[in-house]
Amino acid sequence: MTGESTSVSVRYFAAAAEAAGCSKESVELPGRATLAVLAEALEQRHGAPMARVLSVAAFLVDSELTRDRSRPAGGQVDVLPPFAGG
C-alpha cells in the first residue's frame, strides 16, 4: 500500500444536503477509490440519515450520471437523491 490518497469534492442536494448538514465538502479517500468506498466514508461521517439517502441515491461523477458503485469516484461527485416532481 502506497498511502496515496485523493481529495473528492462532494456536493449534496435535497435530502442528501439535509443528512450531511452542508451542501458540499471535501472527502479524502484512498487513491483510486470507488463510489462504494466514498459511500461508506459518507455513511461513517454522517450516520444513519446519510445511509438512508445513499440507499436510493444516484451519483453524478464528473458530469456522468450513475448508480454503479464499482466506478471510480472521480474528482467531483454529486449525491442526487430521488426528487419529487410536480
Side-chain angles (χ1 to χ4, degrees):
M1 185 157 169
T2 65
E4 182 180 324
S5 68
T6 186
S7 181
V8 178
S9 175
V10 182
R11 295 190 305 177
Y12 302 107
F13 297 88
E18 186 176 320
C22 60
S23 62
K24 63 183 175 179
E25 66 181 332
S26 182
V27 178
E28 288 293 320
L29 298 175
R32 300 180 189 221
T34 63
L35 288 174
V37 171
L38 173 62
E40 183 178 319
L42 297 178
E43 288 177 19
Q44 288 177 358
R45 185 177 283 194
H46 300 294
M50 182 60 74
R52 283 190 293 276
V53 170
L54 291 174
S55 72
V56 295
F59 301 92
L60 192 63
V61 181
D62 296 329
S63 301
E64 187 173 329
L65 187 64
T66 187
R67 289 184 185 273
D68 179 1
R69 292 188 179 204
S70 67
R71 286 197 46 161
Q76 178 164 321
V77 176
D78 294 349
V79 178
L80 306 171
F83 294 93

